[in-house]
Amino acid sequence: MQRKITRALISVYYKDNLEPIIHLLGKAGVELVSTGGTQQFIEELGYPVIPVETLTGYPSIFGGRVKTLHPAVFGGILFRRNQPEDEQQAVEFGIKPIDLVIVDLYPFEETVAAGGREDEIIEKIDIGGISLIRGAAKNFNDVLIVASREQYGDLLKLLTQKNCSTDLDERKHFAALAFDVTSHYDAAIFSWFNSKQQIPSFKKSIRTGRALRYGENPHQAGRFFGNLDELIEQLHGKELSYNNLVDADAALNLVQEFSDKPAFVVIKHTNACGVATATTVKEAYLKAYQADTTSAFGGVLATNRPVDKEAAEEINKLFFEILVAPGYDAAALELLKTKKNRMILVQKKPLSETRQFKSLLNGVIEQDVDWKTESMADLKTVTRRAPTAEEVKALLFAAKVAKHTKSNTIVLAVDGQLMASGVGQTSRVDALKQAIEKARSFGFDLNGAVMASDAFFPFADCVELAHQAGITAVIQPGGSVRDQDSIDYCDAHHMAMVFTGIRHFKH
């Protein structure tokens, strides 16, 4: 059903890109109704405006909190044109139809993000605007609703093509967009209130996003929701895929653990196959690559320092999917761009999310992000021999890697270099055996190395195997009813072991 627009109510906070719409409506003879700053804006463009106050018979009251909340306004929006009873009541009460509503809500999220005071934030909770949107969207059979300045371009195109007329399908589409706007707005308000109230309710609204080539596998559709451009800038390469994003997230979370010196990580299927710190990016990369020269092929790479030409020359020898860094020298970037499909990314700011969630079993689970990183203060020596200063540095390094590795995991390392890890095993013993075998296969001598575990040892078998492989110090959470068995074995074989009291399961 096509509807000709004869009357429009326009009430917006931001006036950007509104001018061509006003010109189009004004020249088409559409009657314009408005209030406040929007009314002044339209009048300055040279078009007559009916003030909302004239329509309602009431001035704007309570500091502007009540302007449009009146039957003369909402009746014009909500009355059903095809219902005789509604038509009769509209005539009886002198209510004229409103066929187009354009609203841009008060900037609530922007005010919160800018650190506004509570009273400023409260005043940016739009009441009249949100009500106008809901009313017009509900009556999409008769009314076109434009609920955001993001839609001005589409509106202008539609009105131009249809000579200020609209079809039902178009009105219904804009109504759906309107409820997307209002639901997001309400979710933002609730989140602000709930940051202190802690009501047990899960609400997450993200309106921006992008389609992905596919999901985890080619037969699965995939989409990313969020503002990726706020965190990452892509300088080169093909479009990021679902798996690329998952691995890049794992890489950035791990490399962020290291801030005091250049660090480099190599990720494969979210697990680290290479991690190292050094005095230069080049040296850190070479040490990380050495840990597993096989798995690094096709991996996702990340560093916490800008990439210079010397580092790029080494990295360029490897086939990899993604490289993320805080910056690149011009010569380094030129070299890395020689492979057309490589994804070269710049990380603009650190990761800072405090909550994480995922869907499962017909619902969602949510938790705090694991930002806890062990330090010297967390280490409790439980053996007769305390770790040496060099062993302590290696233990803290290994614990950082273990924190970001799939459970069950064992990490073998020296200070500044991952030697091997056992990942995602159903038993801790199997994880250790995998790590030992892998380290040896890449030529590492484990004598004097350290071992980290993401959770406690239920038996002494792991420290026994570690000792036999040459491991001299161990870091683990502790907490097993048989902790003493592991402690006794370490004491009997001059090993050092520290407990942290902190478990880092990762599933």
Side-chain angles (χ1 to χ4, degrees), residues 26-47:
K27 290 174 182 177
V30 175
E31 193 173 62
L32 303 178
V33 179
S34 191
T35 185
T38 309
Q39 176 187 336
Q40 182 181 347
F41 177 81
I42 296 171
E43 288 172 340
E44 288 175 353
L45 292 176
Y47 298 99

Side-chain angles (χ1 to χ4, degrees), residues 374 378-382 428 451-459 463 474-487 497-505:
E374 286 83 344
D378 297 306
L379 307 185
K380 177 185 177 183
T381 301
V382 294
R428 207 156 296 281
M451 173 173 72
S453 174
D454 61 331
F456 65 63
F457 298 120
F459 306 102
V463 291
V474 179
I475 185 170
Q476 59 137 320
S480 168
V481 294
R482 301 186 66 170
D483 276 344
Q484 195 60 45
D485 292 353
S486 296
I487 295 170
M497 183 159 65
V498 296
F499 285 1
T500 64
I502 304 163
R503 190 184 74 183
H504 289 293
F505 271 163

Side-chain angles (χ1 to χ4, degrees), residues 42-59:
I42 296 171
E43 288 172 340
E44 288 175 353
L45 292 176
Y47 298 99
V49 185
I50 299 173
V52 165
E53 292 84 352
T54 300
L55 206 64
T56 64
Y58 277 88

Side-chain angles (χ1 to χ4, degrees), residues 414 419 445-449 467 469-472:
V414 291
M419 304 176 88
D445 180 359
L446 292 174
N447 286 298
H467 170 254
I471 301 299
T472 59

Side-chain angles (χ1 to χ4, degrees), residues 393-442:
K393 288 191 289 184
L395 290 169
L396 292 174
F397 175 89
K400 290 177 179 178
V401 180
K403 170 186 169 183
H404 293 275
T405 308
K406 294 288 186 182
S407 302
N408 289 307
T409 185
I410 294 290
V411 169
L412 306 179
V414 291
D415 180 32
Q417 186 177 31
L418 169 67
M419 304 176 88
S421 57
V423 303
Q425 297 301 300
T426 52
S427 81
R428 207 156 296 281
V429 172
D430 285 342
L432 176 55
K433 289 178 178 177
Q434 182 190 59
I436 292 170
E437 180 182 352
K438 188 172 184 180
R440 287 172 174 166
S441 71
F442 286 102

Side-chain angles (χ1 to χ4, degrees), residues 323-349:
L323 174 59
V324 193
Y328 301 86
D329 289 356
L333 187 58
E334 183 180 0
L335 179 60
L336 292 167
K337 283 183 173 182
T338 55
K339 301 293 192 297
K340 68 175 183 178
N341 286 330
R342 277 179 181 165
M343 288 157 274
I344 308 299
L345 312 177
V346 172
Q347 183 180 7
K348 298 180 180 179
K349 64 179 185 178

Side-chain angles (χ1 to χ4, degrees), residues 262-372:
F264 208 99
V265 304
V266 182
I267 295 290
K268 203 69 172 288
H269 297 294
T270 74
N271 290 305
C273 55
V275 184
T277 59
T279 56
T280 67
V281 174
K282 174 185 174 180
E283 184 186 353
Y285 165 71
L286 290 173
K287 288 170 66 178
Y289 175 68
Q290 184 184 13
D292 188 342
T293 57
T294 301
S295 298
F297 182 86
V300 171
L301 319 180
T303 182
N304 62 351
R305 296 289 193 276
V307 176
D308 56 24
K309 184 181 179 182
E310 289 73 22
E313 285 173 343
E314 293 296 332
I315 298 168
N316 193 55
K317 298 174 185 177
L318 176 68
F319 170 77
F320 63 88
E321 286 278 323
I322 297 174
L323 174 59
V324 193
Y328 301 86
D329 289 356
L333 187 58
E334 183 180 0
L335 179 60
L336 292 167
K337 283 183 173 182
T338 55
K339 301 293 192 297
K340 68 175 183 178
N341 286 330
R342 277 179 181 165
M343 288 157 274
I344 308 299
L345 312 177
V346 172
Q347 183 180 7
K348 298 180 180 179
K349 64 179 185 178
L351 302 174
S352 59
E353 288 291 337
T354 58
R355 303 288 290 172
Q356 59 187 183
F357 60 92
K358 65 179 177 181
S359 61
L360 51 71
L361 296 176
N362 204 34
V364 172
I365 53 175
E366 184 186 26
Q367 66 174 355
D368 296 332
V369 173
D370 184 3
W371 286 119
K372 176 62 180 176

